[in-house]
Amino acid sequence: MSRPRRLRWGVPEQPPPKHPYRDTLIMYGAFAVLIVLVAWATGGGVRRAVLIAILFYVVASAWSISRWRNRLREEREDERTREDPL
């Protein structure tokens, strides 16, 4: 009797983009602008929205850059291990 098949729910690994840091910073910059635009369009406090957008941009960018550094470092180590198994 064979084993039952199991579904894989994980996302397949993709190679990193050509410019991961730049792309990340542009994306979070667009999100920060969107925060301010939504506040302005809804009649909210624009000053408060600008402060929140700046805080969001700094925290999200720092988090993403640290994650990218770790991922790229791990990929370099994996390549070295595959090239030189000793």
Side-chain angles (χ1 to χ4, degrees):
M1 197 160 165
S2 65
R3 300 178 105 194
R5 288 186 166 184
R6 296 192 183 250
L7 295 175
R8 293 185 181 176
W9 293 98
V11 177
E13 281 292 318
Q14 297 178 2
K18 197 170 188 179
H19 303 284
Y21 300 120
R22 183 195 67 188
D23 296 347
T24 300
L25 295 177
I26 290 171
M27 182 185 70
Y28 287 133
F31 286 155
V33 168
L34 185 63
I35 290 170
V36 175
L37 288 176
V38 168
W40 174 76
T42 60
V46 175
R47 281 188 197 159
R48 184 174 176 195
V50 168
L51 292 176
I52 290 170
I54 291 170
L55 180 66
F56 164 78
Y57 181 79
V58 169
V59 171
S61 297
W63 171 260
S64 293
I65 287 172
S66 70
R67 298 297 299 161
W68 274 118
R69 282 185 181 167
N70 290 340
R71 180 178 173 190
L72 295 173
R73 184 181 321 121
E74 288 173 3
E75 287 180 3
R76 280 193 306 268
E77 290 174 2
D78 288 344
E79 285 179 14
R80 286 184 196 139
T81 306
R82 277 186 254 130
E83 289 174 0
D84 186 27
L86 297 178

